[in-house]
Amino acid sequence: MEQHGTKDAPAILLVRGLGSQLIHWPNSLIEGLVEKGFRVVTFDNRDMGLTQKFTEFGVPDIAELETKVAANEPVDVPYTLRNMSDDAIAVLDVCGIDKAHVMGISMGGGIVQHMALDHADRLLSATIVMSSSWAPDLPQAEPEVWELMFSQPASHSREDVIAHTLICDRAFGSPGYPFDLEDRSELIGRAFDRCYNPEGATRQYAAVIASRGRASDLGRIDLPVLVIHGTGDALLPIAHGRDVAARIPGAEFIEIEGMGHDLEGAVPGMIVEHVTRLAQSARN
């Protein structure tokens, strides 16, 4: 867990997505929020980064889980997004924060949805970025993009992991805001050195699968909510963001032209402005 800004400032908790770590937050996003007067709190989700690993549960069979969920059969997974939302609230407790704004991206956006449903009394506002309700009728990614989600590097060496992750990042990235190859390679290397745990990412994805089927619950959310999605998202097409916003009463929807399934270029600055405006509106 890391904190940025002054402790007496309004807090915003940032929740990462599948298989990522707190170091993946762009510095421009964190610095921008601090400059706007926020106390920024970042943390590693369970099974990733420097947090507890659930290796005793092994690697879930994703195909089997998908089949069971599609058939409305019960599934047995190490944890769910609801458990991960409880983790996020526990981070606020450790920091001594009673109420906070919260923003989550991708899987983190799903965690934020659970926070808004189960812990509304702890949230001032919620921002859901590049995420989904995972309703069954939503469009899927193109097959070649989806296959990359489950592809593996040639080996688990640092060099091969960096090379493979770059291929994935290019496919998931923002066509309007291409990433810097050198900077991205350095970030992937730092993440590998800090914690390389592909089995943890698989368990996190099992949590996403097991948490489907609650799209209709989003109508119970009673908070200031902002949903942000990119027009160039190849992993979760923009219909996913529109669906989330349509299901939450009073939610505002912002689409960013050329943004994909990442936070590159000018995108963090745009998000800072939108989140700041939401926070001001919630305060008023």
Side-chain angles (χ1 to χ4, degrees), residues 131-149:
S131 192
S132 179
S133 69
W134 289 285
D137 57 340
L138 289 169
Q140 299 301 306
E142 293 297 324
E144 60 272 18
V145 173
W146 191 244
E147 288 173 7
L148 282 174
M149 273 283 293

Side-chain angles (χ1 to χ4, degrees), residues 81-91 93 111 115 118-119:
L81 295 190
R82 174 162 278 117
N83 300 131
M84 299 176 83
S85 78
D86 293 342
D87 292 344
I89 294 299
V91 171
D93 292 340
I111 293 171
M115 294 175 72
D118 299 339
H119 304 285

Side-chain angles (χ1 to χ4, degrees), residues 147-166:
E147 288 173 7
L148 282 174
M149 273 283 293
F150 307 101
S151 62
Q152 296 294 322
S155 76
H156 293 302
S157 71
R158 191 177 193 273
E159 180 180 4
D160 283 343
V161 169
I162 292 174
H164 178 262
T165 306
L166 283 173

